[in-house]
Amino acid sequence: MSTATLDRPDRAARTYPAYSKPLWRRALLTREFAVIATVVAVIFYSNANVPNFDGPLTMYYLFLDIAPILLIALPMTMIIITGEIDLSVASVMGLSSALIGVLHADAGLSIPVAAAVAIAVGALCGAFNGFLVAYVGLPSLAVTIGTLALYRGIAVGLLGTKAITDFPDTWTDLAKDRIFGDGTSYPMILIPFVVLLAIFVWLLHFSSFGRGVYEIGLNDEAAHFSGVDVERTKLLLFVLAGAVSAFAGLYFTLRFGSARGDNANGLELQVIAAVLLGGVSIFGGRGALHGVIAGVVLIGVISSAMRLEGQTVNVINIVIGALLVFSVIATTLLGWAQSFLARRRAPAPRPGATP
Amino acid sequence: MSDTLLVEPSAVSPTKRVLGELLRSREIAVGGVFVLVVALTTLKSPSFLFSSDGWRDLLLTPSLLLILAVGQTAVIITRNVDLSVGSTLGLTAYFTGKVFSDNPGIPVVAVFALGLLFGAVLGLVNGLLVSIFKVPALVITLGTLYIYRGIFLTWAGSDRINAGDMPQDFLALGTKTILTIPVLTIIGLVVLAAVGYYLYTARGGRELYAIGSDPDAAVLYGLQVNRRIIGAFVLCGALAGLAGVVYAARYGTVSSNAGLGMELQAVGAAVIGGVAIFGGSGTVWGAAIGAFLLVTINRALPVVGISDFWQRAVVGALIIAAVVLDRFFSTRQERRLVAAREEMRKAAR
């Protein structure tokens, strides 16, 4: 019986590449920081060069406009990190808007009660999505394309071409009031947003549920075997998306004071574009909420600044589309650059290392 | 070496086997639902089918979605999706109107060719981005959806293409019929036959199925994956361009919301027709029947008395039902195959 002797590698040859970089490099050389830096740069540039950008109204209307996208981007981030997608969020917004209108105008319910019903219905819509994706095992792209049409169809079917516009002033004003009084730039909607942001940051980054979300995105079979309840996690995420979309629909209805079946048509693409711009990988398993918030703000600031410069919505859309394409290509380009640099830096193989 | 076969050859005659396979196929099932819908609607209101316009509209209105669905199928089979076809359609429709108004004497065939070429270039951009950078087509085509729609709206500005900008014989194609079948539908059916033949018999077409069912195996096997994927996107873009020209011929006016939302309808038609969203299976015939079914249901709802505001809900419910049904049948098939294999193992022991 012969035992082959193993050569112990020298201590000096051992390296731990992932943690050999100092903290500042690990924190700053990330995609999220790149997006945050871009937002800051664009804001500084616009303050200096775009007329009226530093006026009191700009930030206020910016927040009012991007509020629904900010809200829905929170659960959408978690869904995309698990590798799924939810295209039906804007239709749930429209459905909740139509429901609130119908319940308030025809059934005479007060706004808080109608809102509670709408959010419950939104959660139910999300549960339907989540059940089909997680428990029946259908691909989320196909399911949410179907429910996008289904929920939008129900919303339009409920209202037809009617638009319900008589909402009590107290509520429509609340949607547009500013936090610190007139003249400041922070609308009231930021309060529920900050609360939801705190909840989602805790959920995704500081809880075991959030670790499970990342693991499902990286490899859902491995996650299952390491104890994550994959189906329940996905179901919960879709329910959260439905409930938050319904709340965003409530805000949308009250801000514009009008409930229509086709409210927020096409918003899901803006949410997904913002989330992907914020550094979340479409393949799943990678991403962080601070990058996503920066992504939403970036799209809002660019739209605002270009609008103030007199550009049309169409040019703005071209820019956002190009940004989206560039941001996903950048991941691949970065990968090529890294592997190129790694190959150049690799030491020559030691003589005698291989028999 | 055993001289008994593991699997007995089928005892059923070849004709019966083919017929049985055909009758059990998804395409015939969807076709049956289509016939049912038309029959029920005609019972309610005979002019749906039997009036002078009824038969023509039944065949004419789905021709646009038919062309889009055929192109989308080629892309879905390779495990990708093309969400920019609606914007490509609008951009090409406007381009068609511009070509006609700037060159009054241009022959109609040349405009069709230009539309195909224009759409093919737009599809080429998608294909290059998807295959070279290995980014999911969902994201790339989402971006190009925005970009192409933005280019269209910036180019058009505030003017529209009106019927007066295009020659009469081009617009007449919109309603002309040959032997009671509309010309635009014939164009759609020719496209369907050509793409269906290519996907079924040509090596390039079969390779698309291979790439969709297992991309890693396709690479290991030595297939030119990048080239085939670029080809699929070019085909889809070219057909979206053709659909844009057909749109201009059919409707005469091209406004800024031409083609809005049609990409999801095209995907829906393919899914209903049996094309698996994960690629690797499905036929263009199924997608074509799915397109006919979708559009006919939309047109039949108001006749039957359901307000056509509910039509999107019906479409959504159909898509979900189709995907659930697919899943149910494939799970059942898997279980049957596993049971048959267990039986064979027991018998062999």
Side-chain angles (χ1 to χ4, degrees), chain A residues 60 64 67 111-112 115 167-180 182 186-192 247 250-257:
Chain A
Y60 171 69
L64 279 188
I111 292 285
F167 289 103
D169 282 343
T170 43
W171 290 103
T172 51
D173 286 345
L174 186 67
K176 291 183 285 203
D177 271 345
R178 305 158 197 252
I179 303 181
F180 300 115
D182 282 334
Y186 303 107
M188 286 291 233
I189 187 65
L190 285 183
I191 297 182
F247 177 70
L250 163 72
Y251 160 76
F252 196 91
T253 313
L254 290 179
R255 186 224 160 162
F256 291 109

Side-chain angles (χ1 to χ4, degrees), chain A residues 4-15:
Chain A
T5 47
L6 293 169
D7 263 318
R8 280 174 172 269
D10 298 332
R11 289 204 148 245
R14 277 191 180 186
T15 54

Side-chain angles (χ1 to χ4, degrees), chain B residues 43-66:
Chain B
L43 270 177
K44 183 86 192 294
S45 149
S47 70
F48 183 72
L49 190 59
F50 293 123
S51 69
S52 63
D53 285 347
W55 171 250
R56 187 196 69 186
D57 283 344
L58 181 71
L59 293 181
L60 181 58
T61 321
S63 58
L64 207 61
L65 190 58
L66 167 66

Side-chain angles (χ1 to χ4, degrees), chain A residues 48 54 77 146-147 169 185 197 222 243 253 273 351:
Chain A
D54 47 0
T77 306
T147 50
D169 282 343
S185 348
L197 178 66
T253 313

Side-chain angles (χ1 to χ4, degrees), chain B residues 117-131:
Chain B
L117 206 62
F118 190 66
V121 168
L122 297 177
L124 181 66
V125 171
N126 280 331
L128 286 174
L129 288 173
V130 169
S131 62

